[in-house]
Amino acid sequence: QQPVQSPQAVILREGEDAVINCSSSKALYSVHWYRQKHGEAPVFLMILLKGGEQKGHEKISASFNEKKQQSSLYLTASQLSYSGTYFCGTENFGNEKLTFGTGTRLTIIP
Amino acid sequence: DTGVSQDPRHKITKRGQNVTFRCDPISEHNRLYWYRQTLGQGPEFLTYFQNEAQLEKSRLLSDRFSAERPKGSFSTLEIQRTEQGDSAMYLCASSSIRDTTYEQYFGPGTRLTVT
């Protein structure tokens, strides 16, 4: 089943913070976060694995609650370049494939 | 590291024609994935390879779709007898199982329009 992302869309002023959530109904092995700008490929931001290992860009932070099967992406001091659609991709045990959520559209205004 | 490349970037075809797309992964990446993305949706998994072996194929993938990775390097995705519902962006991604975090890196995609 497809993970659920919230909010579906958010508008921020430059410098404000945002949190994007991703929730799954199945047990998760890992959560991957991507940002996609219109007409471009998804760009890798962060991966979080069961057990606590994670890897990502310096200015991006995220959390992974294994018990609740949820992950959150934290965007602080947002910049205009942060605009785009954010997708979480979830990996269930034994699948080794990603199931992507419906996305969160983030718009940053000056 | 030149990134994942895909060819062609755009393809317009008439219904019923066959089309083939190519993906070149990041060198030394042994896993290669194909996804399909329609407007307003997240990428949808189609199939993936580890080296030359096709390990999984989505149940959503009809028998008109076939993918190969003959030498464990580049991959091709063929769609036979295209239908208008096949219009979408076809994305390729690659990863390395030597990385404990095996994040996937996407190519620019091939946009298919079936008329």
Side-chain angles (χ1 to χ4, degrees), chain A residues 4 8 15-16 25 41 45 62-63 73 83 97 105:
Chain A
V4 177
Q8 290 184 328
E16 292 182 335
S25 59
L45 297 176
S63 64
L73 185 71
S83 292
K97 67 181 183 185
R105 178 172 290 184

Side-chain angles (χ1 to χ4, degrees), chain A residues 2-92:
Chain A
Q2 190 175 33
V4 177
Q5 288 185 233
S6 64
Q8 290 184 328
V10 60
I11 300 174
L12 296 177
R13 290 197 177 277
E14 202 172 1
E16 292 182 335
D17 302 337
V19 179
I20 300 172
N21 302 300
C22 175
S23 180
S24 174
S25 59
K26 294 184 176 181
L28 296 176
Y29 181 77
S30 69
V31 180
H32 304 225
W33 286 96
Y34 290 83
R35 177 174 59 221
Q36 186 175 31
K37 295 183 181 286
H38 183 70
E40 299 180 8
V43 173
F44 169 75
L45 297 176
M46 174 76 73
I47 178 173
L48 303 101
L49 277 75
K50 179 180 172 66
E53 186 172 5
Q54 57 179 258
K55 178 180 178 181
H57 291 274
E58 292 179 358
K59 296 185 178 180
I60 301 289
S61 64
S63 64
F64 180 19
N65 187 322
E66 298 171 26
K67 288 185 178 179
K68 292 186 177 180
Q69 298 158 188
Q70 295 174 346
S71 176
S72 295
L73 185 71
Y74 305 98
L75 302 171
T76 57
S78 58
Q79 304 172 15
L80 293 175
S81 62
Y82 287 10
S83 292
T85 301
Y86 288 75
F87 291 102
C88 68
T90 57
E91 180 193 10
N92 304 118

Side-chain angles (χ1 to χ4, degrees), chain A residues 29-30 32 34 36 41-42 44 47 49 53 55 87 91 95-98 100-102, chain B residues 31 33 35 37 40-43 45 48 56 91 100-108:
Chain A
Y29 181 77
S30 69
H32 304 225
Y34 290 83
Q36 186 175 31
F44 169 75
I47 178 173
L49 277 75
E53 186 172 5
K55 178 180 178 181
F87 291 102
E91 180 193 10
N95 278 6
E96 300 182 347
K97 67 181 183 185
L98 296 182
F100 284 89
T102 52
Chain B
R31 281 196 177 161
Y33 306 78
Y35 293 87
Q37 186 176 29
Q41 300 296 315
F45 171 81
Y48 88 99
E56 187 169 348
L91 294 164
T100 57
T101 52
Y102 56 92
E103 60 270 22
Q104 297 180 26
Y105 292 92
F106 282 83

